[in-house]
Amino acid sequence: MLMIDDLNDWVTALGDHPQVFSPNIDALAASGTVFANAHAQAPICGPSRASLFSGLYPAQTGIYGQIPDDQLGAAVAAVSPTQLMPQHLRGHGFYIAGSGKVSHQGGQEGMFDEYVGRVDEHRGQYGPGPEQRMRWFDNRTHTDWGAYPDRDEDMFDYQTAAFGAEFLRRDHATPFMLALGFVRPHVPWYVPQRWLDMFPLDEIELPVVRENDLDDVPQAARDLAAVPQMPTLEWAQSNDEWRPIMQAYLASIAFVDHCVGMAMDALRESGHADDTLVCLLSDNGYHLGEKQRFAKMSLWQHSTRVPLIFSGPNVQQRVYTDPVGLIDIFPTVLDMLGLPANAENAGRSLKPILASDAVMALQPQVSVFGAGNFAVIDQRHRYIRYTDGSEELYDHESDPMEWHNQAANPAMAEVKARLAAYIPAEPAADIAA
């Protein structure tokens, strides 16, 4: 399992930015199944990963915000007898190893038989970092960008990949699950200079944005998506920092792709490639100027759409465009490994898509950010409803950038009602409240 933090839908397989350099992710995509309409169940690390590993929706657990690792097990146990996916696999004879940011703070207690965690006390698992910030000086966020450190080997993700490569080259007498959690392109966007040099500033292609993009969204949307600790598009434009931010994000993708390649090269060299299922995913997306912001933490497309790729034995080479969610990973893994289904899983197995040319029944995906704020995504539309009842509705066929809110359009009433039916009637209360 290759987990990449805050990687949005710019990867080549999803085709959303022409300058992305990700040959190793591209090779993985070409060898297996790409889910081109995959969504996180929450647009922020903690609840997204809690949902993925528990197989439960945030509206079932009440985990809508960040949660310390040492509280995750108890929060899940309060609503379900299920085990987290790694522990469930251990119960079926798997040896569980991990490194890097797997659960929100790294490795949850009891999740692994072997885990290599944080290596840099100065900036935690997001380091290393310089003694002073380079471009953005708000200490409420890790957001910053620039060239640091000098060597790849000093990067946390490189060390995560090195552990993974070493583990994969071992002799294994029992089946294993290896989870590698890479933090780039999570902020701060620090990478060695050579990765930035791959993307000359004067050649950077900026996202197309609309100046009055937020004029037709409800106030609740603006309030929920407000992140005053992070740069606004207006600030980035007036300070000539949009291209440097883009450069650093693209460089971070290129660097983490290199780390993915280290692990995949080791898997191929190990002799286990033909009997190992590989899953690559991101925990949420990220805005790079779209909707006037540089952040995740919203219910718009760029915050919830994520890369999701499976490769390995019995996995077809295909691109699947119906909506799926990270909630589907737990049951899919069990099914692909030939293990009994976990009745507690709220998602569904995607094995029919992976192992054949099947088309499964349409299942709209539900994302949530904060208790009571929901997005429902189908093949064509995104419907958002906020706690105060205000709404957004976008038709991705005619409006892929979500510039025109159609919620008040009477012609869209049936679409709105159909998608609203997927919002849970009695979601769990926020455990942090």
Side-chain angles (χ1 to χ4, degrees):
M1 178 171 282
L2 303 167
M3 305 180 69
I4 303 178
D5 204 343
D6 288 6
L7 176 62
N8 65 10
D9 54 8
W10 285 6
V11 296
T12 306
L14 301 181
D16 252 28
H17 195 285
Q19 293 175 299
V20 166
F21 182 77
S22 54
N24 295 292
I25 297 175
D26 296 350
L28 190 66
S31 71
T33 296
V34 176
F35 290 97
N37 195 9
H39 295 270
Q41 268 48 71
I44 186 171
C45 305
S48 175
R49 292 166 189 258
S51 177
L52 187 163
F53 282 119
S54 68
L56 303 173
Y57 285 103
Q60 292 176 275
T61 62
I63 302 173
Y64 299 108
Q66 307 292 38
I67 181 172
D69 281 358
D70 60 4
Q71 297 177 22
L72 177 58
V76 171
V79 298
S80 170
T82 192
Q83 292 180 307
L84 301 180
M85 181 170 62
Q87 296 160 318
H88 186 92
L89 290 176
R90 181 188 292 121
H92 288 278
F94 279 69
Y95 183 83
I96 312 300
S99 181
K101 185 177 177 181
V102 180
S103 54
H104 175 50
Q105 293 176 310
Q108 192 233 353
E109 186 72 24
M111 187 184 281
F112 300 97
D113 296 303
E114 179 180 0
Y115 173 77
V116 176
R118 300 176 181 172
V119 294
D120 179 68
E121 295 180 358
H122 176 54
R123 293 299 294 266
Q125 59 189 341
Y126 301 107
E131 289 301 317
Q132 294 184 339
R133 288 172 176 262
M134 297 181 178
R135 304 291 183 89
W136 186 252
F137 298 93
D138 192 321
N139 286 321
R140 294 175 295 173
T141 173
H142 289 295
T143 301
D144 197 18
W145 51 96
Y148 191 89
D150 293 330
R151 306 185 320 142
D152 292 354
E153 291 81 357
D154 294 328
M155 294 287 286
F156 184 77
D157 286 340
Y158 185 97
Q159 295 165 22
T160 295
F163 168 81
E166 183 276 324
F167 178 87
L168 288 165
R169 291 188 178 104
R170 299 179 196 171
D171 292 329
H172 295 280
T174 60
F176 62 81
M177 173 186 175
L178 172 65
L180 300 178
F182 300 112
V183 296
R184 291 294 176 272
H186 191 289
V187 292
W189 300 306
Y190 296 146
V191 287
Q193 183 67 51
R194 74 184 186 98
W195 298 101
L196 294 164
D197 291 342
M198 293 174 61
F199 306 95
L201 282 175
D202 60 354
E203 298 178 10
I204 296 289
E205 295 189 29
L206 299 174
V208 178
V209 300
R210 193 171 184 231
E211 186 175 348
N212 61 345
D213 194 5
L214 301 182
D215 285 0
D216 63 352
V217 305
Q219 187 62 45
R222 302 182 198 187
D223 293 343
L224 186 68
V227 280
Q229 71 272 31
M230 298 176 186
T232 62
L233 179 59
E234 181 182 8
W235 179 91
Q237 290 173 317
S238 62
N239 288 277
D240 294 325
E241 289 290 352
W242 196 2
R243 278 190 166 84
I245 289 173
M246 290 280 295
Q247 179 192 49
Y249 190 82
L250 289 166
S252 295
I253 294 175
F255 171 73
V256 80
D257 178 82
H258 174 70
C259 295
V260 168
M262 291 171 61
M264 291 304 298
D265 286 347
L267 177 60
R268 285 185 285 267
E269 294 165 7
S270 73
H272 293 294
D274 291 338
D275 61 7
T276 300
L277 181 68
V278 178
C279 175
L280 181 143
L281 65 115
S282 174
D283 59 349
N284 49 251
Y286 213 86
H287 294 246
L288 271 297
E290 305 92 347
K291 296 292 182 187
Q292 314 297 306
R293 65 203 301 272
F294 295 88
K296 45 194 171 185
M297 297 176 288
S298 79
L299 289 172
W300 296 310
Q301 173 87 340
H302 287 291
S303 283
T304 73
R305 188 183 183 214
V306 294
L308 177 60
I309 301 168
F310 279 89
S311 182
N314 302 316
V315 176
Q316 300 290 306
Q317 295 178 355
R318 66 184 301 195
V319 176
Y320 194 77
T321 59
D322 280 1
V324 301
L326 299 185
I327 193 79
D328 298 321
I329 292 176
F330 194 160
T332 300
V333 167
L334 296 184
D335 204 5
M336 291 297 292
L337 297 179
L339 299 175
N342 177 1
E344 294 293 304
N345 283 168
R348 59 180 182 165
S349 170
L350 303 176
K351 182 178 178 179
I353 299 168
L354 298 178
S356 70
D357 295 328
V359 176
M360 296 178 65
L362 179 65
Q363 177 65 57
Q365 289 302 306
V366 179
S367 298
V368 60
F369 181 45
N373 303 297
F374 291 93
V376 184
I377 306 103
D378 69 5
Q379 293 165 303
R380 179 172 173 176
H381 300 97
R382 172 180 295 260
Y383 170 69
I384 303 173
R385 190 174 74 199
Y386 298 96
T387 53
D388 65 356
S390 58
E391 302 168 308
E392 295 176 67
L393 179 67
Y394 300 102
D395 182 343
H396 284 186
E397 188 173 284
S398 60
D399 181 23
M401 297 301 293
E402 299 184 339
W403 286 342
H404 306 288
N405 180 10
Q406 298 290 309
N409 183 349
M412 303 297 285
E414 184 278 328
V415 173
K416 218 166 49 166
R418 174 170 54 81
L419 295 180
Y422 289 90
I423 296 176
E426 297 182 3
D430 189 341
I431 65 170

